[in-house]
């Protein structure tokens, strides 16, 4: 047993990956009918995985960019992460989804702490490995090929496919154990409009900015900028004011904020203040007008959408599901039914799908096959057939006896 533990720790320290784990649907595929009069098709569960019922290990996390060609073979992969110390790279093999690799947190002792209750007392025990709190696929080192970036507990790591496995490219310690806090997410993109990608890492740190921007200098990651003083979860990088330049959209605590790079630092513009934590921010064009809208989720069962009107950000949609779970990071935009129009997909414990009808957002589908607190609701072409699927996963449970799950749903006529 000790030998197994030593080998496991050695693999983690070296950034070595493990693979060859596949899962098929546990029960026959179920369907989710569209509301009456809205559409004729439905969504079908084509794959699912049960990760167990242990909250400090089994829960699933979202990443802003979980879909992309991670190994540069022309086909997309899907990243699935959670509170365990693994970053799973899922690949469709023509029949089902298999684990191409299982990345292991490469910095021993820089995870976060877990509180256990013993009798009437709570005991804090540090986890030796951090969880994959945020992750993405993108060209991190600007060599024209994609890499995988992962925020784990208090540090960030990037992995590059070398033809056989994902090899650790570099890491950056965001905060050490004396500072406390944890990373929460990371996103890859050109935040400063210099023509090259950077990585933005967000979180909550007692002695550090809650947003840290990193650049790859050819041999290592270096800090380029910092901002924020409150917990920041799921950020986004996109041009949301139609000026041809990217902005960074974040929830700085309970404030929805747009950050614009001024050459030396960030100028911040608070769009709105809320009575609850802002979680997910996605800047994509969901109205088809060529301008990216800002789609926002919360520590509350709510979705808000904002659009640049030429002078400011105008709220064009605000929906709350009183008796459902919080939306947290469960938000994405894409043409999930193949009708040529982008849909907005948001998760509570269920999945609501909206389409812009020219004057407002109309609910087109309601998926009730999922359960739990859906941190994960992302879209992408996971099986490389030219059509977009939905991946959902639960970070919390809403009823006794539930397990933490991950699902892939596909539209059928």
């Amino acid at each position: 047993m000790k030998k197994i533990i030593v080998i496991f720790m050695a693999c983690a320290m070296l950034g070595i990956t493990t693979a060859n784990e596949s899962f098929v649907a546990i029960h026959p595929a179920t369907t989710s009918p569209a509301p009456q009069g809205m559409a004729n098709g439905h969504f079908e569960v084509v794959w699912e995985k049960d990760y167990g019922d242990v909250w400090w290990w089994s829960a699933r996390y979202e990443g802003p960019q979980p879909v992309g060609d991670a190994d540069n073979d022309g086909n997309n992969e899907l990243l699935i992460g959670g509170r365990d110390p693994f970053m799973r790279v899922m690949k469709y093999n023509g029949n089902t989804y298999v684990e191409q690799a299982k990345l292991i947190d490469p910095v021993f002792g820089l995870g976060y702490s877990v509180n256990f209750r013993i009798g009437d007392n709570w005991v804090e025990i540090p986890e030796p490995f951090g969880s994959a709190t945020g992750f993405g696929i993108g060209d991190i080192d600007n060599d024209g090929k994609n890499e995988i970036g992962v925020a784990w507990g208090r540090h960030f790591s990037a992995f590059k496919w070398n033809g056989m496995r994902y090899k650790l490219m570099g890491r950056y310690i965001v905060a050490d154990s004396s500072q406390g806090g944890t990373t929460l997410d990371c996103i890859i993109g050109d935040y400063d409009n210099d023509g090259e990608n950077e990585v933005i890492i967000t979180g909550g740190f007692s002695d550090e900015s809650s947003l840290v921007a990193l650049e790859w200098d050819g041999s290592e990651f270096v800090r380029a900028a910092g901002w924020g003083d409150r917990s920041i979860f799921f950020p986004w990088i996109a041009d949301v004011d139609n000026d041809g330049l990217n902005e960074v959209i974040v929830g700085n605590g309970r404030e929805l904020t747009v950050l614009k790079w001024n050459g030396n630092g960030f100028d911040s513009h608070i769009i709105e203040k809320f009575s609850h934590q802002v979680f997910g921010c996605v800047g994509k064009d969901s109205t088809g007008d060529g301008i990216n809208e800002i789609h926002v989720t919360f520590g509350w069962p709510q979705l808000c959408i904002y659009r640049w009107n030429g002078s400011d950000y105008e709220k064009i949609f605000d929906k709350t599901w009183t008796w459902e779970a919080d939306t947290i990071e469960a938000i994405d935009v894409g043409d999930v039914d193949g009708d040529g129009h982008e849909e907005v997909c948001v998760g509570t414990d269920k999945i609501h799908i909206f389409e812009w009808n020219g004057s407002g957002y109309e609910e087109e589908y309601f998926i009730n096959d999922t359960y739990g607190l859906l941190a994960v609701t992302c879209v992408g072409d996971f099986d490389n057939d030219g059509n977009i699927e939905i991946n959902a996963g639960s970070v919390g449970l809403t009823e006794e006896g539930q397990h933490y799950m991950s699902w892939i749903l596909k539209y059928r006529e």
Side-chain angles (χ1 to χ4, degrees), residues 189-301:
D190 184 10
Y191 78 88
D192 60 0
N193 300 288
D194 66 349
E196 294 193 341
N197 287 333
E198 296 83 29
V199 179
I200 283 182
I201 303 166
T202 58
F205 309 102
S206 57
D207 298 319
E208 179 63 90
S209 301
S210 50
L211 182 153
V212 177
L214 302 180
E215 293 179 352
W216 179 255
D217 72 355
S219 60
E220 64 179 357
F221 287 105
V222 296
R223 176 180 166 134
W227 183 88
D229 57 0
R230 303 170 203 173
S231 292
I232 297 177
F233 287 81
F234 189 105
W236 203 262
I237 300 173
D239 177 11
V240 290
D241 62 2
N242 201 34
D243 66 348
L245 300 173
N246 285 335
E247 290 78 39
V248 181
I249 310 99
V250 298
N252 187 35
R254 296 179 178 182
E255 298 173 351
L256 174 61
T257 305
V258 174
L259 305 176
K260 184 178 284 290
W261 186 251
N262 62 22
N264 295 304
F266 290 105
D267 294 328
S268 62
H269 174 76
I270 299 173
I271 296 179
E272 189 169 350
K273 297 182 179 180
F274 299 89
S275 59
H276 33 266
Q277 172 76 49
V278 179
F279 269 83
C281 301
V282 169
K284 292 185 179 182
D285 181 10
S286 59
T287 62
D289 64 351
I291 302 174
N292 293 319
E293 285 73 40
I294 301 174
H295 310 77
V296 189
T297 49
F298 307 88
W300 190 250

Side-chain angles (χ1 to χ4, degrees), residues 300-350:
W300 190 250
Q302 183 178 9
L303 167 67
C304 292
I305 303 176
Y306 299 82
R307 177 173 57 189
W308 180 254
N309 62 17
S311 60
D312 205 349
Y313 297 96
E314 173 188 2
K315 184 186 288 185
I316 58 174
F317 187 75
D318 189 342
K319 175 69 176 179
T320 299
W321 295 273
T322 305
W323 304 111
E324 297 184 21
D326 297 348
T327 51
I328 51 174
E329 299 174 340
I331 178 68
D332 208 347
V333 177
D335 181 9
V336 294
D337 63 359
D339 66 350
H341 302 284
E342 304 292 290
E343 283 83 32
V344 178
C345 302
V346 59
T348 54
D349 49 316
K350 312 301 180 185

